[in-house]
Amino acid sequence: MADTSLQWRYLRPSGSKVKCIEFHPMQPWLGIADEAGNVSVWDLHTQQLVYETKLATPDEVTFEDAMLQRAAEREPDYFGPHLSHAMHPPKVKVSSGAAVKDMQFCDDETAFWQMASQHSQLHHAYSGSCHPHLGKVGGLRGHRWLVLAIDAKVVIQDMISGQAREAPRPLWGNKDPTALAFLYANAARLLGFDGGSNANEVILGPVMAVGSTTGATTLLNFITLQVYAKLVGGHKGAVTALLPLGSVAPGGPDRLLSAGADGTIAVWEPSTAGRGGAGVHSPVATWKAHDGAITGLTFYRHLGDTPEQPPIKLATAGEDKKVLLWDTDKWKLISSIRALPKGNVDALMFSCHGSAAFGEEPCLLLASQERPALWGLHPGTGAVTQLLAMEHLIPPGHKKVPKVYTAACHPTLPHLLAVAANSGVAILTFDAYDTPPVALLPLRRSTAEEAGEFEGGLLDDPAAGGDGGLDELEAVLDPDGAAARAAAQAAAEAAEGHPQEAGVTLLGGLVDSTSKGQAYLTVVGKALWAVFYRTSSRDGWAGPQGPRQLTAELASREVIARLPHAGKPHLACSASGRCISVVWPHVRHYIIWMAGEGGTWTQLTDGVATHLVWATKSSTFAVLYAPDAQMPDLGPVSKKKAKAREEEQARAAAVAEAQLRAHQATSVQVYEVDESSRQVVQVSALVDTGSERPIRLHAGPLLGIAFTSTITNGSRTGNALQFYSWGGSQQPVGPQMVEPKWLAWDPQVTLCALAYEDAVTLAVVRPEFRAFASLPIRQAVSGVWRTHQLFLLTPDSLVVAFAAAGGGSGRIVGLGGTNQPFLEIVPLASLQGAVAESENDAGALPGEGMRPGGPAAVLGPRDGNLWLADALGQPFLVPLTAPGLRARCKAALNKLEEAREQAEMGLVREHHDEVARFLAALQPEGAAEAQKLPGLSLSAELSLAIQRGQYTQALRCLEALAAGHTERAAIAAMPALPQQESEPAAVDPVTALDSSIEALYGPPGLPPPGMPGKIADSLAAEQPNFLSMRKAGYDSDDSDASDVSAESEGGTIDWDVPLKLPRSVLLAAKQAQAAQEAATNSTFGTAAASIAAAADQALQLAAAANSANETEVARGALRIVAAGAAGLATEQVIRVLLEMARAGMAREADSLAALLSAPGARKAPQVVALAAAIAQDPLIVQETLQSSGLVALASLYTHAWRAGNALNALNEWTRQLETSSGDPDARVTIQAPTAMS
């Protein structure tokens, strides 16, 4: 039966047959070479072309050689043999192509992956520190080489620079190359340093191995193409495959396996002394494996009957239609399997996708040219299963028969597969979210004091500190049920005389929560196991003088139960850890085991279900009851065609009806386990889901039920998910949402993480379920919450996201008093691991560690390490002990004083600022502890003072910053700012412009205060013609005309009063005075850049001080930032002006307006107008608006507020209209406002 977990993604078509493909081990890149000589590299995530090239055909090479020879012979000084008469340049046949026999990537990442995987296969690395070679490999920095073995030579091309090199056939006896491999760890002896005690020293450098049709393999310096050695005597036919193998001893030089067309396999140790003369090596082992050419060669590992680390094994495929499995210790045959009924196995690869390496699914994948399909081989049983038929490789309408030539599996992303065919390359995928079958097992605490932090690191018990939030949530959602459960628990505790302890013990109580290590469940060999691994450190591969290795030792293991079904199960634990559930969705069956006295496990119950989930706190669980469709037996099909058609239709209708009945019978049922009496009580026989059909369940403090119906939320569309309370009523909670891949709740039940394909959404739970942040992390396959810490694992990386929610709103008070969500994402590990040298010093966050390749699951932090379970169910540790990271973890646990002490002891002072920001933002009380850090900068001190309401101290910090200082010691030496008088009136910042103008001139449509009564009366009496100001004594010829400043009694003008200067003269004088005052009074004239850098903090201080009625502090901050207004952005200037309005700084705003309107100020005229309005200066308002081309706004301003030269503004507006429209009669008429009745 086909395994539907393998899915077709897409076909990348090709005009020629594709017979060679290769995955980059670290990047999601696939190299493709077709028969026409087209070579390309594609990114499978983005489906974008990374690199492409066109190879010369053999005929083209011969043609070029002949032309070069003929040109050389024509030279007068040519002395070589004349061969051009014997060289007949053939016609170039582009369609023939250059056949690519093998393809390899070579760069820093491939070298790192190969050395790390070789060590893990042989020596069981439990952490990145266990790998001996994590440094740079010489000659590869800054390059990404693509190496191709073609008919005539080896082509080496740099995908970054385009540089190309060639290794010609004479290097391997004028024969064609057939296979490629790289050895990165080699003894000095092999590299030419032969002599002395250093001959066996391992040097990291790329050595290229090239197998040829002669049966020999040549080892070359990859950079210089110098030949180091030849490996001969292993094969009588061509070399068909090369496979590197790590050393028997950790840190030793690489070995090499080769397979031949004669069916033989040879093992080589090139770094040992030559066995056949200088530079010539013989194999250390060789044997006849197949009757015919060997077509496939791969290493594999899978678990047997116990959870211990399995040894590495070898699988080979040959033209004798067999797949052979070999032991790698003595190279003994383990099993011989005739895999396919017809045809050879043309491609053999190992894929540890999902739980394949657990022995529950086939992990060896096969492909054959005889049939377009992909098969899976179970190495433990020898069973072969067709995974996917690919007849649709050829698009409809084409006459070609689909044919598969080879296949490849991504080494570190084993869910990605590629199949090369005559129509192109098919991309296939297993479920990337299919993680190993493991589940964390809570351990019982021996005493209450032991929950917390041990000497070795953080315990971070998921149950610690989480009950209060959960009780509160349950009380809100289901008060009756919460009260009943609380009463039942209290009665049980009273009967036993002590509180019930959560967790279980292993080995009769020898392993509990005080033990340094991690316990979890796993399924191996059709048995359910509980395993406990203990952390330890030991001498590394370099001995006592080298670095210590962080490792894990299997301290205990026990079989909980033998399982009745094969296939991958789903494991889960109750909150107490006393109940363990196993579900087999493919057979619709579940079983629950319960721990008894003395650590014995017995079956509690079982039933029919496809999903089972537990409540976060209680021993309540829900099952998705989904019965099989009962198909009717309609007997054999009639031989008569007409009747047969009727019977087929009847059968189809009967099947559809049976499936419908099964779907209608699908339901969600809720049960509770009474752990004291070991009884299972049904809480609800049927959760009311209305007309919706449930398909999946999600665990947590709320029961999540996914339905077949789909909904759309923003850009996402998917199955609907509804939360229900666990109580007896099971009422819906909150709105429906798009179902995530998985969800996780924090221990306090305040935050929930929902993992989608493109991002992880964080939602706050109370008082309403609402998303407040989105983490840009794609394909998060596993995640675990601890207090304020969300550990997320993707197929190629591992991160921790620190998040906090305050007051039930999902937002916290951050630096500067801003109410913003707090998020910080810290990378912990990646597939690249230590490929890139960390540029962080001892005080910064640690560089990325190493993530194991393949599927994995996050178990959680413990003992100062983050525990993962890898593709084989083995633990892998990522240290969390770096000072910067550890300080953050302590702060997340609300241990603020310890976090600050950790930062003081472990971090250099240059990094105290980042810890201070973290402390202040994560916890409301963190600012006080952050201020105690001795290495704080002035900027950090300023932010912390603002947050704590220490406005005077914050102003002193701002003074020092504006003067160009950076150290806190400069505060004491700073002189006090000169105190300046300011207007007492304050203006609301929201309506600053309107209120300022209205305060000056009154409401729109009324004469401004102080306007001569004669003019006011004239305006009121002549509303239709009120724009004509000439009769009232206003000169409207130009903007420089003198204004009437006074009027005599009786409405006549007093001509003896001196006329005012022209407007332009007044404006220039004001600008000059403002500039002189700024240069004379400001103590920060030489630190404009410092003021601009601190402008945002100064504005934060001004806003906070204004809100706290600390007006003098706000004015001091605004005077500082105003001194550097010329270097501020427009938005910052606007904020300065609005805060000045709030602080009643009209005179400072007047000077600022004059400065901003000066020639060369380059500020937006709207900003200048706003400043002038706040400063109560209509002169600058009209001048700036009109000179900047905003004549319409200038005209409306002068007429609405009776300020400035209204007639001049209207004439300028009319003139521009005439110019733009070409109509000399264009006019503008502005009517006075009409009173409303």
Side-chain angles (χ1 to χ4, degrees):
M1 181 177 178
D3 185 349
T4 57
S5 64
L6 181 61
Q7 301 293 329
W8 175 278
R9 284 187 61 183
Y10 59 87
L11 174 70
R12 180 164 298 284
S14 173
S16 301
K17 299 176 182 179
V18 178
K19 293 187 176 182
C20 185
I21 54 177
E22 180 73 16
F23 275 109
H24 189 286
M26 291 290 192
Q27 302 293 335
W29 296 348
L30 177 66
I32 303 172
D34 62 23
E35 284 192 335
N38 299 306
V39 178
S40 58
V41 178
W42 290 87
D43 189 317
L44 299 187
H45 284 175
T46 63
Q47 297 190 29
Q48 298 294 319
L49 183 66
V50 176
Y51 177 77
E52 66 176 342
T53 187
K54 171 72 174 178
L55 298 177
T57 66
D59 288 339
E60 289 173 333
V61 173
T62 305
F63 180 83
E64 292 173 359
D65 290 343
M67 292 298 98
L68 289 173
Q69 179 68 23
R70 181 170 298 177
E73 292 176 6
R74 291 174 180 172
E75 295 294 328
D77 54 351
Y78 177 75
F79 294 104
H82 290 264
L83 303 176
S84 61
H85 62 279
M87 300 178 66
H88 302 284
K91 295 182 179 179
V92 175
K93 299 177 182 179
V94 178
S95 61
S96 65
V100 177
K101 304 297 181 62
D102 199 2
M103 178 191 310
Q104 294 286 322
F105 291 93
C106 182
D107 51 41
D108 274 340
E109 293 178 346
T110 58
F112 170 80
W113 164 79
Q114 180 173 310
M115 291 187 293
S117 62
Q118 289 174 174
H119 183 81
S120 297
Q121 290 169 350
L122 294 169
H123 307 293
H124 316 316
Y126 292 98
S127 67
S129 64
C130 295
H131 292 277
H133 299 306
L134 295 181
K136 292 284 186 181
V137 175
L140 300 181
R141 185 191 297 264
H143 299 281
R144 287 197 182 273
W145 299 103
L146 182 64
V147 187
L148 306 167
I150 61 176
D151 287 338
K153 54 193 172 185
V154 173
V155 178
I156 305 169
Q157 297 183 332
D158 188 355
M159 296 190 298
I160 296 178
S161 66
Q163 175 186 355
R165 297 181 291 133
E166 293 183 357
R169 283 190 297 179
L171 293 176
W172 35 85
N174 288 316
K175 298 296 182 179
D176 292 339
T178 56
L180 299 171
F182 284 92
L183 308 178
Y184 292 106
N186 302 280
R189 176 187 293 108
L190 176 65
L191 305 182
F193 304 98
D194 194 6
S197 59
N198 295 329
N200 295 322
E201 179 184 354
V202 174
I203 298 176
L204 301 185
V207 172
M208 182 171 62
V210 181
S212 68
T213 55
T214 64
T217 299
T218 305
L219 304 183
L220 303 94
N221 183 311
F222 180 64
I223 306 302
T224 65
L225 299 183
Q226 172 192 354
V227 175
Y228 285 142
K230 289 186 180 294
L231 311 181
V232 298
H235 313 286
K236 296 180 180 179
V239 176
T240 58
L242 294 174
L243 188 62
L245 177 63
S247 173
V248 175
D254 290 345
R255 295 177 287 171
L256 182 68
L257 268 68
S258 61
D262 58 353
T264 58
I265 298 176
V267 182
W268 311 87
E269 295 181 355
S271 289
T272 60
R275 296 172 180 266
V280 178
H281 293 257
S282 300
V284 296
T286 182
W287 68 95
K288 180 75 171 181
H290 291 267
D291 295 328
I294 295 178
T295 56
L297 193 67
T298 185
F299 293 120
Y300 73 96
R301 285 197 300 167
H302 76 105
L303 293 170
D305 297 327
T306 63
E308 279 88 352
Q309 280 268 15
I312 183 176
K313 299 175 183 177
L314 175 69
T316 62
E319 290 183 349
D320 55 1
K321 301 179 177 58
K322 293 180 181 179
V323 173
L324 305 181
L325 308 180
W326 306 86
D327 167 56
T328 57
D329 186 18
K330 302 296 184 179
W331 305 109
K332 300 297 184 181
L333 180 65
I334 299 174
S335 179
S336 176
I337 304 167
R338 186 175 178 87
L340 303 178
K342 294 182 180 180
N344 301 321
V345 175
D346 296 303
L348 174 65
M349 50 193 169
F350 170 61
S351 173
C352 58
H353 63 278
S355 59
F358 283 74
E360 300 301 327
E361 298 177 17
C363 62
L364 291 176
L365 307 184
L366 318 174
S368 173
Q369 297 185 32
E370 293 296 321
R371 186 177 175 186
L374 205 63
W375 289 270
L377 170 63
H378 195 303
T381 63
V384 178
T385 305
Q386 181 175 309
L387 301 179
L388 186 68
M390 295 180 287
E391 283 80 3
H392 51 295
L393 275 175
I394 303 297
H398 290 69
K399 296 182 179 180
K400 286 195 298 185
V401 176
K403 178 170 284 191
V404 172
Y405 295 111
T406 188
C409 176
H410 198 289
T412 54
L413 304 175
H415 62 280
L416 286 178
L417 305 177
V419 176
N422 54 348
S423 57
V425 178
I427 306 301
L428 315 176
T429 179
F430 290 100
D431 185 5
Y433 292 87
D434 189 7
T435 56
V438 296
L440 187 65
L441 184 62
L443 293 176
R444 178 175 296 176
R445 305 190 196 105
S446 58
T447 62
E449 291 78 9
E450 287 164 354
E453 184 180 351
F454 292 114
E455 183 179 353
L458 301 180
L459 171 61
D460 282 348
D461 190 334
D467 292 351
L470 185 55
D471 287 338
E472 181 183 346
L473 180 63
E474 290 183 341
V476 171
L477 300 178
D478 185 22
D480 297 335
R485 283 189 291 275
Q489 181 176 351
E493 292 175 357
E496 295 186 9
H498 62 276
Q500 294 190 13
E501 298 176 0
V504 297
T505 58
L506 297 178
L507 291 181
L510 296 180
V511 176
D512 57 23
S513 67
T514 62
S515 305
K516 295 176 61 176
Q518 190 73 280
Y520 55 93
L521 302 170
T522 186
V523 173
V524 180
K526 293 187 67 174
L528 177 63
W529 294 79
V531 296
F532 179 80
Y533 282 87
R534 181 178 289 110
T535 55
S536 64
S537 63
R538 63 188 182 194
D539 291 339
W541 61 275
Q545 304 303 322
R548 301 279 292 176
Q549 291 183 4
L550 174 64
T551 186
E553 298 176 353
L554 182 59
S556 69
R557 61 172 189 170
E558 59 179 295
V559 176
I560 292 177
R562 297 294 175 181
L563 304 180
H565 306 294
K568 181 184 177 182
H570 292 169
L571 309 181
C573 290
S574 65
S576 65
R578 295 190 182 97
C579 295
I580 298 172
S581 63
V582 181
V583 184
W584 294 268
H586 59 289
V587 296
R588 303 170 186 268
H589 186 215
Y590 76 88
I591 301 177
I592 296 179
W593 287 272
M594 185 173 179
E597 296 298 330
T600 59
W601 295 83
T602 57
Q603 181 173 327
L604 182 65
T605 185
D606 71 332
V608 177
T610 57
H611 288 78
L612 187 152
V613 296
W614 294 89
T616 298
K617 182 180 179 182
S618 65
S619 295
T620 305
F621 66 93
V623 298
L624 179 60
Y625 174 76
D628 277 324
Q630 300 298 321
M631 299 301 176
D633 185 8
L634 299 179
V637 180
S638 174
K639 295 182 179 180
K640 295 182 180 180
K641 292 184 178 180
K643 192 173 182 180
R645 282 195 298 269
E646 294 178 0
E647 291 178 351
E648 287 295 338
Q649 292 175 358
R651 288 175 184 276
V655 169
E657 184 179 355
Q659 291 176 343
L660 178 61
R661 286 195 300 267
H663 292 172
Q664 291 174 345
T666 302
S667 62
V668 178
Q669 303 169 3
V670 180
Y671 300 86
E672 185 167 9
V673 178
D674 185 344
E675 295 184 349
S676 60
S677 64
R678 302 176 65 85
Q679 297 293 320
V680 179
V681 180
Q682 189 173 54
V683 177
S684 174
L686 181 66
V687 176
D688 184 11
T689 59
S691 60
E692 298 276 15
R693 175 177 169 255
I695 55 174
R696 278 179 294 274
L697 302 180
H698 294 269
L702 297 174
L703 171 61
I705 304 179
F707 303 108
T708 54
S709 61
T710 59
I711 61 173
T712 299
N713 185 1
S715 60
R716 292 193 180 100
T717 299
N719 295 104
L721 175 70
Q722 178 68 61
F723 288 114
Y724 291 83
S725 63
W726 281 102
S729 58
Q730 280 92 39
Q731 293 298 316
V733 178
Q736 285 191 348
M737 64 189 68
V738 177
E739 181 194 16
K741 295 292 185 180
W742 53 266
L743 54 86
W745 302 75
D746 76 326
Q748 286 72 32
V749 198
T750 57
L751 296 179
C752 180
L754 301 96
Y756 294 97
E757 183 73 20
D758 59 338
V760 176
T761 298
L762 298 185
V764 63
V765 179
R766 293 167 287 174
E768 60 180 357
F769 198 95
R770 174 180 57 83
F772 75 94
S774 180
L775 306 179
I777 299 174
R778 291 182 51 83
Q779 262 190 355
V781 298
S782 178
V784 169
W785 270 109
R786 291 298 179 262
T787 306
H788 294 307
Q789 306 160 70
L790 176 60
F791 297 93
L792 293 170
L793 183 73
T794 73
D796 56 5
S797 65
L798 174 67
V799 303
V800 57
F802 293 96
S809 63
R811 307 175 77 83
I812 65 166
V813 176
L815 288 180
T818 58
N819 195 26
Q820 297 293 329
F822 172 74
L823 290 172
E824 182 179 2
I825 300 176
V826 179
L828 297 178
S830 68
L831 290 176
Q832 289 80 359
V835 173
E837 293 179 355
S838 175
E839 296 180 357
N840 296 331
D841 57 28
L845 288 169
E848 287 187 354
M850 182 181 175
R851 179 213 189 277
V858 181
L859 297 174
R862 188 174 172 90
D863 301 328
N865 303 295
L866 180 63
W867 289 68
L868 309 179
D870 66 11
L872 290 163
Q874 304 302 308
F876 191 89
L877 309 182
V878 178
L880 304 176
T881 53
L885 186 59
R886 187 168 177 79
R888 284 166 168 80
C889 292
K890 286 179 177 290
L893 294 174
N894 204 25
K895 300 177 180 180
L896 300 176
E897 184 177 357
E898 293 182 21
R900 190 253 307 162
E901 292 173 351
Q902 177 71 47
E904 289 181 358
M905 293 185 295
L907 296 176
V908 294
R909 292 195 172 195
E910 287 76 6
H911 298 290
H912 283 190
D913 279 7
E914 60 189 62
V915 176
R917 294 187 183 95
F918 186 90
L919 293 175
L922 189 67
Q923 301 286 354
E925 305 84 5
E929 286 296 331
Q931 279 187 314
K932 300 176 183 178
L933 288 170
L936 287 184
S937 66
L938 272 174
S939 177
E941 174 75 11
L942 171 57
S943 293
L944 293 170
I946 295 173
Q947 183 170 343
R948 298 193 64 197
Q950 300 171 345
Y951 300 117
T952 302
Q953 174 69 9
L955 182 59
R956 298 295 295 164
C957 293
L958 180 62
E959 295 174 10
L961 277 175
H965 299 288
T966 58
E967 300 296 331
R968 299 170 75 183
I971 298 176
M974 285 299 301
L977 281 173
Q979 298 296 320
Q980 301 181 18
E981 296 181 3
S982 300
E983 299 291 338
V987 183
D988 183 3
V990 178
T991 57
L993 179 58
D994 290 346
S995 57
S996 298
I997 297 175
E998 195 167 318
L1000 269 172
Y1001 307 117
L1006 299 180
M1011 179 176 284
K1014 179 77 173 179
I1015 300 177
D1017 294 341
S1018 173
L1019 291 177
E1022 302 183 26
Q1023 281 188 1
N1025 197 25
F1026 79 99
L1027 295 179
S1028 177
M1029 300 293 179
R1030 189 179 299 277
K1031 66 174 69 177
Y1034 277 75
D1035 188 349
S1036 60
D1037 290 340
D1038 55 54
S1039 60
D1040 287 340
S1042 299
D1043 290 338
V1044 176
S1045 59
E1047 193 170 352
S1048 62
E1049 295 288 339
T1052 61
I1053 298 176
D1054 186 357
W1055 297 101
D1056 294 330
V1057 176
L1059 296 177
K1060 288 185 177 179
L1061 293 173
R1063 293 177 179 271
S1064 59
V1065 177
L1066 290 173
L1067 182 59
K1070 177 171 285 192
Q1071 292 168 349
Q1073 181 181 1
Q1076 183 178 1
E1077 290 178 356
T1080 303
N1081 298 329
S1082 176
T1083 61
F1084 308 104
T1086 61
S1090 301
I1091 296 175
D1096 286 333
Q1097 288 182 293
L1099 290 169
Q1100 283 184 354
L1101 173 58
N1106 272 328
S1107 299
N1109 293 324
E1110 295 283 347
T1111 307
E1112 289 304 319
V1113 173
R1115 290 173 178 173
L1118 291 170
R1119 290 190 188 102
I1120 292 174
V1121 73
L1128 302 183
T1130 299
E1131 294 77 7
Q1132 291 175 319
V1133 176
I1134 292 175
R1135 290 171 60 193
V1136 170
L1137 292 170
L1138 295 181
E1139 293 302 332
M1140 281 184 168
R1142 292 180 65 186
M1145 300 176 66
R1147 190 166 68 180
E1148 286 84 351
D1150 185 30
S1151 298
L1152 183 58
L1155 284 175
L1156 296 176
S1157 63
R1162 297 181 180 179
K1163 291 299 176 185
Q1166 298 94 326
V1167 177
V1168 182
L1170 174 63
I1174 293 175
Q1176 305 178 1
D1177 192 340
L1179 170 64
I1180 299 181
V1181 174
Q1182 179 187 352
E1183 288 294 332
T1184 53
L1185 291 176
Q1186 192 165 320
S1187 62
S1188 63
L1190 302 176
V1191 293
L1193 185 59
S1195 182
L1196 292 174
Y1197 168 80
T1198 56
H1199 286 85
W1201 301 103
R1202 306 293 190 270
N1205 193 325
L1207 187 58
N1208 175 270
L1210 184 63
N1211 290 338
E1212 181 62 23
W1213 191 3
T1214 301
R1215 185 187 65 77
Q1216 286 199 9
L1217 284 176
E1218 292 176 355
T1219 303
S1220 60
S1221 65
D1223 183 4
D1225 297 326
R1227 292 291 183 272
V1228 179
T1229 302
I1230 300 179
Q1231 298 292 338
T1234 303
M1236 300 293 292
S1237 60

